[in-house]
Short mmCIF file of all heavy atoms in Angstrom, two decimals:
data_model
loop_
_atom_site.label_atom_id
_atom_site.label_comp_id
_atom_site.label_asym_id
_atom_site.label_seq_id
_atom_site.Cartn_x
_atom_site.Cartn_y
_atom_site.Cartn_z
N PRO A 800 -16.30 -19.57 -32.46
CA PRO A 800 -17.09 -18.45 -32.97
C PRO A 800 -16.46 -17.10 -32.68
O PRO A 800 -16.58 -16.17 -33.48
CB PRO A 800 -18.44 -18.61 -32.25
CG PRO A 800 -18.22 -19.53 -31.12
CD PRO A 800 -17.06 -20.40 -31.50
N PHE A 801 -15.80 -16.98 -31.52
CA PHE A 801 -15.10 -15.72 -31.22
C PHE A 801 -14.10 -15.40 -32.31
O PHE A 801 -14.05 -14.28 -32.83
CB PHE A 801 -14.37 -15.82 -29.88
CG PHE A 801 -13.50 -14.64 -29.57
CD1 PHE A 801 -14.00 -13.56 -28.88
CD2 PHE A 801 -12.17 -14.60 -30.00
CE1 PHE A 801 -13.20 -12.45 -28.60
CE2 PHE A 801 -11.38 -13.48 -29.76
CZ PHE A 801 -11.90 -12.41 -29.05
N SER A 802 -13.28 -16.38 -32.66
CA SER A 802 -12.26 -16.16 -33.66
C SER A 802 -12.84 -15.82 -35.02
O SER A 802 -12.38 -14.90 -35.70
CB SER A 802 -11.37 -17.40 -33.78
OG SER A 802 -10.32 -17.20 -34.70
N GLY A 803 -13.90 -16.56 -35.40
CA GLY A 803 -14.54 -16.28 -36.68
C GLY A 803 -15.13 -14.89 -36.73
O GLY A 803 -14.93 -14.14 -37.71
N VAL A 804 -15.87 -14.52 -35.68
CA VAL A 804 -16.50 -13.19 -35.63
C VAL A 804 -15.43 -12.10 -35.61
O VAL A 804 -15.55 -11.07 -36.30
CB VAL A 804 -17.41 -13.07 -34.39
CG1 VAL A 804 -17.88 -11.63 -34.18
CG2 VAL A 804 -18.61 -14.01 -34.52
N TYR A 805 -14.39 -12.32 -34.80
CA TYR A 805 -13.33 -11.32 -34.68
C TYR A 805 -12.67 -11.01 -36.03
O TYR A 805 -12.58 -9.84 -36.44
CB TYR A 805 -12.27 -11.80 -33.69
CG TYR A 805 -11.05 -10.94 -33.65
CD1 TYR A 805 -11.06 -9.69 -33.02
CD2 TYR A 805 -9.86 -11.34 -34.29
CE1 TYR A 805 -9.94 -8.89 -33.00
CE2 TYR A 805 -8.75 -10.54 -34.26
CZ TYR A 805 -8.78 -9.32 -33.63
OH TYR A 805 -7.67 -8.52 -33.63
N TRP A 806 -12.19 -12.05 -36.71
CA TRP A 806 -11.49 -11.83 -37.97
C TRP A 806 -12.42 -11.29 -39.05
O TRP A 806 -12.03 -10.46 -39.87
CB TRP A 806 -10.82 -13.12 -38.44
CG TRP A 806 -9.56 -13.42 -37.69
CD1 TRP A 806 -9.35 -14.44 -36.80
CD2 TRP A 806 -8.33 -12.69 -37.76
NE1 TRP A 806 -8.08 -14.39 -36.30
CE2 TRP A 806 -7.41 -13.33 -36.87
CE3 TRP A 806 -7.90 -11.58 -38.47
CZ2 TRP A 806 -6.11 -12.90 -36.68
CZ3 TRP A 806 -6.59 -11.13 -38.30
CH2 TRP A 806 -5.73 -11.79 -37.42
N ALA A 807 -13.67 -11.79 -39.07
CA ALA A 807 -14.63 -11.30 -40.06
C ALA A 807 -14.88 -9.80 -39.89
O ALA A 807 -14.92 -9.05 -40.87
CB ALA A 807 -15.92 -12.09 -39.96
N ILE A 808 -15.06 -9.37 -38.62
CA ILE A 808 -15.32 -7.95 -38.37
C ILE A 808 -14.08 -7.12 -38.68
O ILE A 808 -14.17 -6.07 -39.33
CB ILE A 808 -15.76 -7.73 -36.90
CG1 ILE A 808 -17.12 -8.38 -36.65
CG2 ILE A 808 -15.81 -6.24 -36.57
CD1 ILE A 808 -17.57 -8.31 -35.20
N TYR A 809 -12.92 -7.59 -38.26
CA TYR A 809 -11.69 -6.82 -38.46
C TYR A 809 -11.37 -6.65 -39.95
O TYR A 809 -11.08 -5.54 -40.41
CB TYR A 809 -10.53 -7.50 -37.75
CG TYR A 809 -9.21 -6.75 -37.92
CD1 TYR A 809 -8.99 -5.56 -37.23
CD2 TYR A 809 -8.22 -7.21 -38.77
CE1 TYR A 809 -7.81 -4.87 -37.39
CE2 TYR A 809 -7.05 -6.53 -38.93
CZ TYR A 809 -6.83 -5.35 -38.24
OH TYR A 809 -5.66 -4.66 -38.42
N GLU A 810 -11.46 -7.76 -40.70
CA GLU A 810 -11.18 -7.68 -42.14
C GLU A 810 -12.24 -6.83 -42.85
O GLU A 810 -11.92 -6.11 -43.80
CB GLU A 810 -11.14 -9.07 -42.74
CG GLU A 810 -9.99 -9.96 -42.24
CD GLU A 810 -8.63 -9.50 -42.71
OE1 GLU A 810 -8.56 -8.60 -43.58
OE2 GLU A 810 -7.60 -10.04 -42.22
N SER A 811 -13.48 -6.88 -42.37
CA SER A 811 -14.53 -6.07 -42.96
C SER A 811 -14.28 -4.58 -42.70
O SER A 811 -14.55 -3.73 -43.58
CB SER A 811 -15.91 -6.47 -42.40
OG SER A 811 -16.23 -7.80 -42.76
N LEU A 812 -13.79 -4.25 -41.52
CA LEU A 812 -13.45 -2.86 -41.21
C LEU A 812 -12.34 -2.36 -42.15
O LEU A 812 -12.38 -1.21 -42.61
CB LEU A 812 -13.00 -2.74 -39.76
CG LEU A 812 -14.08 -2.85 -38.68
CD1 LEU A 812 -13.45 -2.87 -37.28
CD2 LEU A 812 -15.08 -1.70 -38.79
N LYS A 813 -11.40 -3.21 -42.45
CA LYS A 813 -10.32 -2.83 -43.37
C LYS A 813 -10.87 -2.55 -44.76
O LYS A 813 -10.48 -1.57 -45.41
CB LYS A 813 -9.25 -3.92 -43.42
CG LYS A 813 -8.44 -4.04 -42.14
CD LYS A 813 -7.60 -5.30 -42.11
CE LYS A 813 -6.49 -5.30 -43.11
NZ LYS A 813 -5.59 -6.48 -42.97
N VAL A 814 -11.78 -3.40 -45.20
CA VAL A 814 -12.38 -3.20 -46.53
C VAL A 814 -13.26 -1.94 -46.54
O VAL A 814 -13.20 -1.13 -47.48
CB VAL A 814 -13.20 -4.43 -46.94
CG1 VAL A 814 -13.96 -4.16 -48.24
CG2 VAL A 814 -12.29 -5.64 -47.12
N HIS A 815 -14.05 -1.78 -45.49
CA HIS A 815 -14.98 -0.65 -45.42
C HIS A 815 -14.25 0.69 -45.42
O HIS A 815 -14.70 1.67 -46.06
CB HIS A 815 -15.85 -0.75 -44.17
CG HIS A 815 -16.81 0.37 -43.99
ND1 HIS A 815 -17.96 0.52 -44.77
CD2 HIS A 815 -16.81 1.44 -43.13
CE1 HIS A 815 -18.60 1.60 -44.41
NE2 HIS A 815 -17.94 2.19 -43.41
N HIS A 816 -13.11 0.75 -44.73
CA HIS A 816 -12.35 1.99 -44.65
C HIS A 816 -11.23 2.05 -45.69
O HIS A 816 -10.37 2.94 -45.63
CB HIS A 816 -11.76 2.15 -43.25
CG HIS A 816 -12.80 2.38 -42.18
ND1 HIS A 816 -13.39 3.61 -41.99
CD2 HIS A 816 -13.37 1.54 -41.28
CE1 HIS A 816 -14.27 3.53 -40.99
NE2 HIS A 816 -14.29 2.27 -40.55
N ASP A 817 -11.24 1.09 -46.63
CA ASP A 817 -10.26 1.06 -47.71
C ASP A 817 -8.82 1.10 -47.17
O ASP A 817 -7.98 1.87 -47.63
CB ASP A 817 -10.50 2.22 -48.68
CG ASP A 817 -9.77 2.02 -50.01
OD1 ASP A 817 -9.49 0.86 -50.36
OD2 ASP A 817 -9.45 3.03 -50.66
N VAL A 818 -8.56 0.25 -46.18
CA VAL A 818 -7.25 0.19 -45.55
C VAL A 818 -6.50 -1.03 -46.10
O VAL A 818 -6.99 -2.16 -46.01
CB VAL A 818 -7.36 0.08 -44.02
CG1 VAL A 818 -5.99 -0.16 -43.40
CG2 VAL A 818 -8.00 1.34 -43.46
N THR A 819 -5.35 -0.78 -46.70
CA THR A 819 -4.54 -1.89 -47.21
C THR A 819 -3.45 -2.27 -46.23
O THR A 819 -3.24 -3.43 -45.92
CB THR A 819 -3.93 -1.53 -48.57
OG1 THR A 819 -3.20 -0.29 -48.44
CG2 THR A 819 -5.00 -1.37 -49.64
N VAL A 820 -2.72 -1.27 -45.76
CA VAL A 820 -1.70 -1.48 -44.74
C VAL A 820 -2.14 -0.71 -43.50
O VAL A 820 -2.02 0.50 -43.43
CB VAL A 820 -0.31 -0.99 -45.20
CG1 VAL A 820 0.73 -1.28 -44.13
CG2 VAL A 820 0.07 -1.69 -46.50
N PRO A 821 -2.69 -1.39 -42.48
CA PRO A 821 -3.24 -0.70 -41.32
C PRO A 821 -2.21 0.13 -40.57
O PRO A 821 -1.08 -0.31 -40.37
CB PRO A 821 -3.78 -1.84 -40.45
CG PRO A 821 -3.94 -2.99 -41.37
CD PRO A 821 -2.87 -2.84 -42.40
N THR A 822 -2.61 1.33 -40.16
CA THR A 822 -1.78 2.14 -39.28
C THR A 822 -1.89 1.61 -37.86
O THR A 822 -2.72 0.75 -37.56
CB THR A 822 -2.23 3.60 -39.31
OG1 THR A 822 -3.58 3.68 -38.84
CG2 THR A 822 -2.16 4.17 -40.73
N PHE A 823 -1.05 2.13 -36.98
CA PHE A 823 -1.09 1.73 -35.58
C PHE A 823 -2.48 2.02 -35.00
O PHE A 823 -3.07 1.17 -34.32
CB PHE A 823 -0.02 2.48 -34.78
CG PHE A 823 -0.08 2.22 -33.29
CD1 PHE A 823 0.60 1.15 -32.74
CD2 PHE A 823 -0.85 3.04 -32.44
CE1 PHE A 823 0.54 0.91 -31.37
CE2 PHE A 823 -0.92 2.80 -31.09
CZ PHE A 823 -0.21 1.73 -30.55
N GLY A 824 -3.00 3.23 -35.28
CA GLY A 824 -4.30 3.61 -34.74
C GLY A 824 -5.42 2.73 -35.24
O GLY A 824 -6.29 2.29 -34.47
N PHE A 825 -5.43 2.44 -36.54
CA PHE A 825 -6.50 1.60 -37.10
C PHE A 825 -6.43 0.19 -36.52
O PHE A 825 -7.46 -0.38 -36.14
CB PHE A 825 -6.40 1.54 -38.62
CG PHE A 825 -7.46 0.66 -39.24
CD1 PHE A 825 -8.70 1.19 -39.58
CD2 PHE A 825 -7.24 -0.69 -39.44
CE1 PHE A 825 -9.69 0.39 -40.12
CE2 PHE A 825 -8.22 -1.51 -39.98
CZ PHE A 825 -9.45 -0.96 -40.33
N SER A 826 -5.24 -0.39 -36.49
CA SER A 826 -5.09 -1.74 -35.95
C SER A 826 -5.54 -1.82 -34.50
O SER A 826 -6.24 -2.75 -34.10
CB SER A 826 -3.64 -2.22 -36.09
OG SER A 826 -3.26 -2.32 -37.43
N PHE A 827 -5.15 -0.82 -33.71
CA PHE A 827 -5.45 -0.84 -32.30
C PHE A 827 -6.95 -0.73 -32.06
O PHE A 827 -7.54 -1.57 -31.37
CB PHE A 827 -4.73 0.30 -31.59
CG PHE A 827 -4.76 0.21 -30.09
CD1 PHE A 827 -3.78 -0.50 -29.41
CD2 PHE A 827 -5.78 0.82 -29.36
CE1 PHE A 827 -3.82 -0.61 -28.03
CE2 PHE A 827 -5.82 0.71 -27.99
CZ PHE A 827 -4.83 0.01 -27.31
N PHE A 828 -7.58 0.27 -32.65
CA PHE A 828 -9.01 0.47 -32.41
C PHE A 828 -9.86 -0.56 -33.16
O PHE A 828 -10.90 -1.00 -32.65
CB PHE A 828 -9.42 1.89 -32.79
CG PHE A 828 -8.90 2.94 -31.84
CD1 PHE A 828 -7.86 3.75 -32.20
CD2 PHE A 828 -9.46 3.08 -30.59
CE1 PHE A 828 -7.36 4.71 -31.32
CE2 PHE A 828 -8.99 4.03 -29.69
CZ PHE A 828 -7.93 4.84 -30.06
N GLY A 829 -9.43 -0.96 -34.34
CA GLY A 829 -10.15 -1.99 -35.07
C GLY A 829 -10.11 -3.32 -34.32
O GLY A 829 -11.12 -4.03 -34.23
N GLY A 830 -8.94 -3.65 -33.78
CA GLY A 830 -8.82 -4.88 -33.01
C GLY A 830 -9.64 -4.83 -31.73
O GLY A 830 -10.25 -5.82 -31.34
N ALA A 831 -9.65 -3.66 -31.07
CA ALA A 831 -10.43 -3.51 -29.83
C ALA A 831 -11.92 -3.63 -30.09
O ALA A 831 -12.64 -4.32 -29.34
CB ALA A 831 -10.12 -2.17 -29.19
N ILE A 832 -12.41 -3.01 -31.15
CA ILE A 832 -13.84 -3.08 -31.48
C ILE A 832 -14.25 -4.50 -31.84
O ILE A 832 -15.24 -5.04 -31.34
CB ILE A 832 -14.17 -2.11 -32.62
CG1 ILE A 832 -14.01 -0.65 -32.17
CG2 ILE A 832 -15.59 -2.35 -33.14
CD1 ILE A 832 -14.09 0.35 -33.29
N SER A 833 -13.46 -5.13 -32.69
CA SER A 833 -13.77 -6.50 -33.11
C SER A 833 -13.72 -7.45 -31.93
O SER A 833 -14.60 -8.32 -31.78
CB SER A 833 -12.76 -6.95 -34.19
OG SER A 833 -12.75 -6.06 -35.28
N GLY A 834 -12.71 -7.31 -31.10
CA GLY A 834 -12.58 -8.18 -29.93
C GLY A 834 -13.71 -7.99 -28.93
O GLY A 834 -14.19 -8.97 -28.34
N SER A 835 -14.13 -6.75 -28.73
CA SER A 835 -15.21 -6.47 -27.77
C SER A 835 -16.51 -7.13 -28.20
O SER A 835 -17.21 -7.75 -27.39
CB SER A 835 -15.41 -4.96 -27.62
OG SER A 835 -14.26 -4.34 -27.10
N ILE A 836 -16.85 -6.98 -29.46
CA ILE A 836 -18.10 -7.57 -29.97
C ILE A 836 -18.05 -9.08 -29.86
O ILE A 836 -18.99 -9.73 -29.40
CB ILE A 836 -18.34 -7.13 -31.42
CG1 ILE A 836 -18.56 -5.62 -31.49
CG2 ILE A 836 -19.54 -7.87 -32.01
CD1 ILE A 836 -18.63 -5.07 -32.91
N ALA A 837 -16.94 -9.67 -30.28
CA ALA A 837 -16.81 -11.13 -30.25
C ALA A 837 -16.81 -11.66 -28.82
O ALA A 837 -17.40 -12.70 -28.53
CB ALA A 837 -15.53 -11.56 -30.97
N ALA A 838 -16.16 -10.93 -27.90
CA ALA A 838 -16.09 -11.36 -26.50
C ALA A 838 -17.47 -11.34 -25.85
O ALA A 838 -17.82 -12.25 -25.10
CB ALA A 838 -15.12 -10.47 -25.72
N PHE A 839 -18.24 -10.31 -26.12
CA PHE A 839 -19.58 -10.21 -25.54
C PHE A 839 -20.48 -11.33 -26.04
O PHE A 839 -21.20 -11.96 -25.27
CB PHE A 839 -20.19 -8.85 -25.85
CG PHE A 839 -21.58 -8.67 -25.30
CD1 PHE A 839 -21.76 -8.32 -23.96
CD2 PHE A 839 -22.70 -8.87 -26.08
CE1 PHE A 839 -23.04 -8.16 -23.44
CE2 PHE A 839 -23.97 -8.73 -25.58
CZ PHE A 839 -24.15 -8.37 -24.25
N LEU A 840 -20.45 -11.59 -27.33
CA LEU A 840 -21.32 -12.60 -27.92
C LEU A 840 -21.02 -14.00 -27.43
O LEU A 840 -21.91 -14.86 -27.36
CB LEU A 840 -21.24 -12.54 -29.45
CG LEU A 840 -21.78 -11.28 -30.12
CD1 LEU A 840 -21.56 -11.32 -31.62
CD2 LEU A 840 -23.27 -11.08 -29.81
N THR A 841 -19.76 -14.25 -27.11
CA THR A 841 -19.35 -15.62 -26.72
C THR A 841 -19.12 -15.77 -25.23
O THR A 841 -18.68 -16.82 -24.78
CB THR A 841 -18.06 -16.01 -27.46
OG1 THR A 841 -17.03 -15.07 -27.16
CG2 THR A 841 -18.28 -16.04 -28.97
N ALA A 842 -19.46 -14.74 -24.42
CA ALA A 842 -19.25 -14.81 -22.96
C ALA A 842 -19.94 -16.00 -22.30
O ALA A 842 -19.36 -16.62 -21.39
CB ALA A 842 -19.70 -13.51 -22.32
N PRO A 843 -21.18 -16.37 -22.66
CA PRO A 843 -21.82 -17.52 -21.99
C PRO A 843 -21.02 -18.82 -22.09
O PRO A 843 -20.99 -19.61 -21.14
CB PRO A 843 -23.15 -17.65 -22.74
CG PRO A 843 -23.46 -16.25 -23.20
CD PRO A 843 -22.12 -15.69 -23.58
N PHE A 844 -20.33 -19.03 -23.19
CA PHE A 844 -19.55 -20.25 -23.35
C PHE A 844 -18.29 -20.21 -22.46
O PHE A 844 -17.77 -21.25 -22.04
CB PHE A 844 -19.18 -20.46 -24.81
CG PHE A 844 -20.38 -20.62 -25.70
CD1 PHE A 844 -20.72 -19.65 -26.62
CD2 PHE A 844 -21.20 -21.74 -25.59
CE1 PHE A 844 -21.83 -19.79 -27.43
CE2 PHE A 844 -22.31 -21.89 -26.40
CZ PHE A 844 -22.62 -20.92 -27.30
N ASP A 845 -17.78 -19.00 -22.20
CA ASP A 845 -16.65 -18.88 -21.28
C ASP A 845 -17.09 -19.24 -19.87
O ASP A 845 -16.34 -19.89 -19.12
CB ASP A 845 -16.14 -17.43 -21.31
CG ASP A 845 -14.86 -17.25 -20.52
OD1 ASP A 845 -13.94 -18.07 -20.70
OD2 ASP A 845 -14.79 -16.32 -19.71
N VAL A 846 -18.31 -18.87 -19.48
CA VAL A 846 -18.85 -19.23 -18.17
C VAL A 846 -18.98 -20.75 -18.04
O VAL A 846 -18.61 -21.35 -17.03
CB VAL A 846 -20.21 -18.55 -17.94
CG1 VAL A 846 -20.84 -19.03 -16.63
CG2 VAL A 846 -20.05 -17.03 -17.90
N VAL A 847 -19.49 -21.40 -19.08
CA VAL A 847 -19.66 -22.86 -19.07
C VAL A 847 -18.32 -23.55 -18.93
O VAL A 847 -18.16 -24.50 -18.15
CB VAL A 847 -20.37 -23.33 -20.34
CG1 VAL A 847 -20.38 -24.85 -20.43
CG2 VAL A 847 -21.80 -22.83 -20.38
#
Side-chain angles (χ1 to χ4, degrees):
F801 173 91
S802 183
V804 170
Y805 171 76
W806 283 110
I808 293 175
Y809 181 74
E810 295 290 351
S811 296
L812 287 173
K813 290 168 68 174
V814 173
H815 179 73
H816 292 281
D817 195 25
V818 174
T819 53
V820 182
T822 62
F823 175 89
F825 179 88
S826 296
F827 192 88
F828 289 105
I832 293 170
S833 304
S835 297
I836 296 173
F839 179 81
L840 293 177
T841 58
F844 299 112
D845 187 47
V846 174
V847 172

